[in-house]
């Protein structure tokens, strides 16, 4: 709430008729510019902030599943009992407000209830984290939220404070945007009492819990989180070093790309993955002529199936994106890029080229550990690499509970889940990581949700109309629905994600028969 509303004088109040708050449900109450979310169940009525602390989604449009409230946009989850954070991408609990019942009304007083003080009991005095991305930030915020008072050192080569990488290929590109709009907090290190070292790590020794920096400094800690993330893959194209040829992995990349787009007219995006198509959509909104060059005729066909992939391609084409199928022969130009030439001789004029060829995990500096075939570092279900050493995020090859396979998954929210799990493990919690993977993708003005893990699947149960971008698709592997993809079916999708996390997804036969997943949560 605005501080002026909470200053001197009688606290502001928001009233809402009890009859307007369904039992087992929620409703937003307003007074002027203020708003709260009332929830009501057998234990009474409670009031919380009305917007998600992640990006401000209206929680009244979210879903209640079991004892959780899920954000309608990005599926952050909060406990209905007290507003505590249960799943990212939010990193803070909901603010709670006192409620009294007066006649037939619930009355919330806009003086926040104090957050319970926590004091972690742990022998750890120094936590060392390599990486500044999603896993690192989530680990740090969880340690501090749980009451860890020891020293935390975070090492990374990027000059920016931790930022939200998911924004880089989306609205950030649609118009000139200040880099600080992507920051998680204006001064993350000060807010969480972190020693931030901007440096290149050249060797990590898990056995010694040590990190050697490029300037020969050696750092050690009582506990070590390795969350080095991934780097953009740049195939060995002739001409890849020309001015105007770019990748999009970091905030610096996004700033350069956005600045270059101010002068550009024609863009060729190489690759039709999430980064490529998100960037294509938002650069098109900016008024540029965008061509997507990909080897596959239908984007995402292997990931989502041909019906969903074809629908997304039609949608982007309808918004002005041109698709070309083919392989890059070379990137042509003298000093600066002029065109992309394909193997069949097609020439695609361009004054800006974005290479979206995927990412490779940064594991080469970790001593004594062999990456697996995916490039990830194998860990058990507890994400432990060695005593007091954990792996998180893109580099972790871990047992994914829902699918039953070892997975290396490049999802921002999953990295946050990993970081949260590791923080709690550092403070003494035991057990396996069991979070359900989830990511969202802004395909232009449409938000696509994907939950679970199905790199290969036996069949698809499709409900709704993909052509209208109003559908939910369930992916079946070994006679279990292990993943779902959706646009416009938020209640069913959120219920699936919740049930997946609890290991209670109904059988494929039940889903095909029209089972109401929202009734099962």
């Amino acid at each position: 709430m605005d501080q002026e509303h909470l200053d001197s004088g009688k606290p502001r109040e928001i009233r809402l008729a009890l009859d307007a708050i369904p039992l087992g449900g929620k409703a937003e109450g307003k007074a002027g510019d203020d708003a709260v979310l009332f929830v009501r169940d057998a234990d009474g009525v409670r009031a919380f902030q009305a917007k998600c602390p992640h990006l401000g989604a209206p929680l009244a449009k979210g879903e209640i599943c079991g004892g959780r409230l899920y954000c309608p946009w990005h599926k952050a989850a909060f406990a209905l009992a007290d507003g505590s954070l249960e799943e990212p991408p939010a990193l803070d609990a909901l603010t709670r407000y006192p409620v009294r019942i007066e006649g037939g009304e619930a009355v919330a007083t806009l003086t926040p209830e104090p957050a319970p003080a926590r004091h972690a009991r742990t022998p750890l005095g120094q936590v060392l984290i390599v990486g500044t991305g999603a896993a690192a930030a989530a680990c740090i915020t969880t340690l501090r939220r749980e009451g860890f008072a020891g020293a935390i050192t975070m090492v990374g080569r990027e000059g920016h404070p931790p930022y939200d990488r998911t924004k880089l290929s989306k609205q950030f590109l649609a118009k000139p945007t200040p880099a600080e709009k992507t920051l998680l907090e204006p001064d993350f290190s000060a807010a969480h009492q972190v020693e931030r070292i901007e440096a290149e790590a050249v060797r990590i020794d898990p056995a010694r819990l040590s990190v050697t920096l490029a300037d020969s400094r050696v750092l050690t800690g009582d506990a070590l989180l390795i969350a080095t993330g991934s780097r953009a893959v740049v195939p060995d194209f002739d001409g890849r070093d020309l001015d105007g040829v770019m990748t999009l992995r970091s905030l610096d990349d996004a700033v350069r790309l956005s600045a270059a787009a101010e002068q550009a007219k024609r863009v060729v995006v190489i690759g039709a993955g999430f980064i490529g198509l998100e960037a294509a959509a938002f650069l098109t909104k900016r008024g540029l002529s965008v061509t997507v060059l990909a080897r596959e005729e239908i984007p995402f066909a292997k990931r989502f199936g041909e019906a969903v992939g074809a629908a997304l391609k039609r949608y982007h084409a309808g918004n002005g994106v041109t698709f070309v199928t083919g392989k890059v022969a070379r990137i042509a130009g003298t000093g600066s890029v002029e065109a992309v030439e394909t193997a069949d001789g097609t020439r695609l004029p361009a004054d800006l080229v974005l290479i979206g060829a995927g990412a490779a995990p940064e594991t080469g500096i970790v001593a004594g550990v062999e990456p697996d075939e995916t490039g990830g570092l194998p860990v058990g279900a507890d994400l432990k690499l060695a005593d007091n050493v954990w792996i998180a995020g893109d580099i972790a090859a871990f047992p994914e509970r829902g699918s039953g396979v070892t997975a290396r998954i490049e999802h921002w929210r999953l990295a946050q889940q990993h970081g949260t799990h590791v923080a709690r493990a550092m403070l003494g919690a035991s057990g396996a990581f069991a979070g359900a993977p989830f990511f969202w993708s802004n395909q232009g003005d449409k938000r696509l949700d994907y939950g679970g893990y199905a790199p290969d699947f036996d069949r698809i149960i499709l409900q709704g109309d993909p052509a209208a971008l109003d559908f939910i698709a369930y992916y079946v592997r070994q006679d279990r629905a292990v993943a779902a993809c959706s646009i416009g079916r938020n209640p069913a999708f959120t219920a699936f994600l919740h049930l997946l996390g609890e290991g209670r997804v109904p059988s494929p036969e039940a889903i095909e028969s029209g089972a109401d997943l929202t009734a099962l949560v």
Side-chain angles (χ1 to χ4, degrees), residues 461 463 474 481 496 505-515 517:
I461 301 170
Q463 297 175 351
Y474 300 94
F496 173 85
V505 174
S507 69
E509 292 74 23
I511 294 174
E512 283 183 304
S513 298
L517 272 60

Side-chain angles (χ1 to χ4, degrees), residues 289-361:
S289 173
V290 180
T291 298
V292 173
L293 172 64
R295 294 188 178 192
E296 62 275 13
E297 178 70 27
I298 301 176
F300 304 130
K302 290 183 179 179
R303 186 71 174 268
F304 300 143
E306 290 192 359
V308 174
L312 289 170
K313 181 177 180 178
R314 283 193 300 271
Y315 171 72
H316 286 294
N319 287 329
V321 177
T322 299
F323 286 86
V324 174
T325 304
K327 291 175 59 178
V328 176
R330 72 180 188 119
I331 302 174
T334 304
S336 298
V337 63
E338 296 173 7
V340 175
E341 296 178 357
T342 69
D344 67 2
T346 302
R347 182 179 173 87
L348 305 173
D351 35 39
L352 183 57
V353 171
L354 173 61
I355 298 177

Side-chain angles (χ1 to χ4, degrees), residues 85 88-92 127 129-145 152-155 160-165 182-185 188-189 191-192 194 196 225-228 392-393 412-413 415-423:
L85 178 66
L91 296 176
D92 297 305
V127 171
I129 298 174
V130 187
T132 60
C139 182
I140 290 167
T141 56
T142 304
L143 285 170
R144 293 307 191 206
R145 194 169 59 243
I152 302 176
T153 301
M154 178 174 63
V155 181
H160 304 283
Y163 55 86
D164 188 337
R165 194 183 305 276
T182 69
L183 300 184
L184 298 181
E185 298 182 59
F188 182 91
S189 296
H192 300 285
V194 175
R196 168 79 165 92
L225 169 61
I226 305 173
T228 46
W412 169 264
R413 181 180 180 267
Q416 292 179 308
Q417 290 172 300
H418 280 180
T420 299
H421 173 89
V422 169

